Amino acid sequence: MTKCLVAGCSHSAGFEIDGSEDSTYNRSKSFGNVLSTMLSLQAHNISLGAQSNSAIARTVIDYCERNTDVEFVCVGWTEMTRVSLPSGHDVDHLGSNSTVDTYTKVNSRYLEINSGWPGFTDYEKSIMPYWHEFMVKQADILDLITVKDILLLQQYLDSAEIDYVFCNTMLPYRPTRYTEWYWNLIDESKCMWDPEGFFFKYKALGYENPKAQYWHHDEEPHRLWAQELFEHIKSR
């Protein structure tokens, strides 16, 4: 069976659906995997928790360059503030993503920096204040990086003749003076942008996951989001 490749951050991986960060069950109930079943495709979930949009684009391209059995791709873009920082040493992203279907090793070359993350090693802790300040003061640059990553992946998948759908798990659709030109090049028929994004949309609707320590939904919002994606795909 050909595959539906599912990529994104922890939301696309289904983190904390069952209370644990990563598990086979969580991925099986994630919106991308549920969508795959609706499309009669085999889900292959390569999402990695805490990844930036640059890492998400890299993950998809790297996998597709090495495999020829991908028929469809579902990408859940994350918040723009995350930074993918080149690293002189390999970074272990597999430890917190133990049930990922395929680990894309290319991402080991980059340290993924999130808002509020203090770092693990002494080196990481020493650089966090600078990058956290950067996220706040240079939001326009990070917005620009994200929309260029989206355009890059769109052009790659179009050239490879692989169908896809893009959605936003946290990313606000926010064209600005600096990014509008790029946003206008994005194929809107292949995108389902929500003003709030997957997490905040269903949080505002009253859905809560009592098992989650962080910002993650349980099965029902994932099922509902998958249904929305399915209807969007069928309507285009």
Side-chain angles (χ1 to χ4, degrees):
M1 181 183 292
T2 52
K3 293 176 180 175
C4 174
L5 194 65
V6 181
C9 67
S10 57
H11 295 285
S12 299
F15 270 33
E16 295 193 295
I17 286 177
D18 66 3
S20 63
E21 280 199 336
D22 191 23
S23 71
T24 301
Y25 178 82
N26 288 349
R27 289 184 184 262
S28 72
K29 297 299 182 180
S30 68
F31 65 80
N33 284 49
V34 175
L35 174 65
S36 301
T37 300
M38 293 176 174
L39 295 173
S40 300
L41 295 171
Q42 177 186 346
H44 197 78
N45 196 317
I46 60 172
S47 305
L48 296 172
Q51 298 296 281
S52 64
N53 288 315
S54 295
I56 292 169
R58 257 197 318 270
T59 297
V60 174
I61 295 172
D62 185 68
Y63 184 89
C64 290
E65 283 291 288
R66 298 171 185 273
N67 299 274
T68 60
D69 57 353
V70 177
E71 180 175 327
F72 195 89
V73 177
C74 173
V75 178
W77 298 100
T78 191
E79 57 190 345
M80 295 180 178
T81 54
R82 299 182 181 183
V83 173
S84 190
L85 185 67
S87 173
H89 64 276
D90 283 352
V91 179
D92 177 25
H93 300 295
L94 189 57
S96 58
N97 295 276
S98 59
T99 66
V100 64
D101 287 333
T102 297
Y103 178 54
T104 46
K105 295 181 180 179
V106 64
N107 284 314
S108 298
R109 303 173 189 175
Y110 304 85
L111 179 65
E112 299 297 317
I113 302 176
N114 289 222
S115 300
W117 179 58
F120 294 131
T121 68
D122 289 341
Y123 165 71
E124 291 168 357
K125 292 175 182 177
S126 73
I127 65 173
M128 286 306 139
Y130 171 84
W131 287 107
H132 288 160
E133 183 178 9
F134 181 92
M135 290 173 180
V136 174
K137 292 186 175 180
Q138 303 297 339
D140 286 331
I141 292 177
L142 297 175
D143 283 359
L144 184 60
I145 291 171
T146 281
V147 71
K148 291 174 75 173
D149 283 329
I150 294 172
L151 181 59
L152 167 68
L153 187 55
Q154 171 184 289
Q155 292 179 334
Y156 175 83
L157 293 173
D158 284 345
S159 67
E161 298 183 339
I162 299 173
D163 198 7
Y164 57 93
V165 65
F166 292 164
C167 65
N168 56 317
T169 59
M170 297 185 76
L171 158 74
Y173 174 68
R174 196 179 75 161
T176 67
R177 164 186 176 83
Y178 314 105
T179 62
E180 185 176 14
W181 183 84
Y182 290 95
W183 280 112
N184 289 339
L185 296 174
I186 304 297
D187 184 353
E188 291 295 318
S189 71
K190 300 291 185 75
C191 303
M192 190 180 84
W193 303 130
D194 184 89
E196 297 176 284
F198 166 66
F199 175 76
F200 291 108
K201 172 178 182 171
Y202 290 105
K203 180 178 174 61
L205 290 173
Y207 289 93
E208 294 184 6
N209 182 359
K211 300 184 292 293
Q213 181 180 356
Y214 304 107
W215 290 4
H216 298 109
H217 286 303
D218 59 15
E219 292 92 339
E220 185 63 6
H222 279 272
R223 185 190 68 80
L224 292 170
W225 191 248
Q227 185 64 45
E228 286 192 57
L229 286 166
F230 181 74
E231 291 173 359
H232 172 83
I233 293 164
K234 292 305 178 184
S235 69
R236 68 194 189 193

